[in-house]
Amino acid sequence: MSGAIFILSGAGLSAESGLRTFRAADGLWEDHRVEDVATPEAFERDPELVQRFYNERRRQAAEAQPNAAHKALARLQKNHSAPVYLVTQNVDDLLERGGAKQVIHMHGAVRDALCATCSHRWTAPREMQVTDPCPSCGQQHTRPDIVWFGEIPYHMDVIQDAIEDSDLFVSIGTSGTVYPAAGFGQMARHLGIKTLELNLDASNAPFDEQRQGKASEIVPAWVDEILG
């Protein structure tokens, strides 16, 4: 195909790089309740716990390596004749380290820090502390630049424009059940855009086509088809 492609990726894209999927079947994320580490209320209640949790996520992400799926998407973006919009729910930087450009992180990035007072952003140190001062305003109210439950994802206007500009919508490694990301496929279908799911297991969403398997296998194979 020669038209623009919109790709939404989730935790399944990075699972083979050793990063666990966001939430296990028991509802826990890395052995913590999501409510204790991934909400603004959790940060206000126990900022030390939240900082320790994301320090570990930052360490894991830094030690992980891009897998064949990340590299294949970068190859597609570089060689496709039309735009390839890479939107991810993941907070790791494996797509970028695999060679991708202009990745849209709708849930933020664990490598970045955010001032909860003035909203200044900067590159996070490997170990963030509750007492770290903001480089801009000096307040000791810094947090990971992560979109938590109850907060609005980043770049929603850009994402909508990208979907509207695309001829193919592809969902990779995501359950498609958490909004607003779950609504992207619905938007694409409403616009008459062809939809494809590449996932370890098929979801219940009504895609035009669904392929199952490991991301490191089915994503490169699909990219090879697109690039001919």
Side-chain angles (χ1 to χ4, degrees):
M1 66 167 295
S2 58
I5 302 174
F6 180 100
I7 296 174
L8 172 68
S9 63
L13 182 68
S14 297
E16 292 175 76
S17 294
L19 300 182
R20 290 167 59 179
T21 52
F22 175 70
R23 206 186 315 196
D26 57 9
L28 299 179
W29 181 17
E30 297 286 354
D31 303 318
H32 287 77
R33 292 195 321 144
V34 170
E35 295 81 3
D36 293 334
V37 294
T39 66
E41 294 78 14
F43 181 67
E44 294 300 325
R45 184 171 59 247
D46 194 344
E48 289 86 0
L49 169 63
V50 173
Q51 292 286 28
R52 288 197 305 270
F53 179 82
Y54 285 97
N55 285 340
E56 179 62 18
R57 306 287 76 71
R58 193 175 301 108
R59 182 192 66 78
Q60 289 181 351
E63 293 176 354
Q65 296 300 317
N67 63 51
H70 297 109
K71 296 175 182 178
L73 293 179
R75 179 163 56 91
L76 175 66
Q77 189 184 53
K78 180 179 180 180
N79 296 297
H80 189 50
S81 58
V84 175
Y85 301 106
L86 294 177
V87 177
T88 187
Q89 298 168 279
N90 298 338
V91 298
D92 62 66
D93 62 351
L94 294 178
L95 274 168
E96 289 91 340
R97 286 163 55 201
K101 306 294 184 184
Q102 297 179 316
V103 179
I104 300 170
H105 286 268
M106 61 178 294
H107 290 160
V110 74
R111 65 185 178 184
D112 294 332
L114 170 69
C115 178
T117 298
C118 75
S119 299
H120 178 68
R121 289 178 169 83
W122 66 100
T123 301
R126 179 66 67 92
E127 295 282 330
M128 287 183 66
Q129 307 295 331
V130 174
T131 53
D132 290 344
C134 169
S136 180
C137 73
Q139 293 296 311
Q140 295 179 337
H141 201 198
T142 63
R143 52 167 278 186
D145 189 12
I146 301 292
V147 175
W148 287 327
F149 285 92
E151 297 179 327
I152 299 173
Y154 297 152
H155 314 300
M156 292 300 293
D157 290 345
V158 174
I159 291 171
Q160 180 171 338
D161 289 344
I163 293 175
E164 293 175 351
D165 185 55
S166 298
D167 296 294
L168 175 63
F169 175 94
V170 186
S171 174
I172 301 176
T174 175
S175 64
T177 58
V178 178
Y179 282 86
F184 296 165
Q186 296 175 3
M187 182 188 305
R189 289 189 295 274
H190 178 73
L191 293 170
I193 298 169
K194 182 179 179 182
T195 59
L196 167 67
E197 179 184 56
L198 305 175
N199 210 351
L200 187 62
D201 300 301
S203 71
N204 294 323
F207 289 91
D208 293 317
E209 182 183 357
Q210 294 174 297
R211 302 184 188 182
Q212 290 82 53
K214 293 182 177 179
S216 64
E217 297 173 356
I218 62 175
V219 174
W222 169 72
V223 169
D224 288 342
E225 290 179 20
I226 294 295
L227 296 179

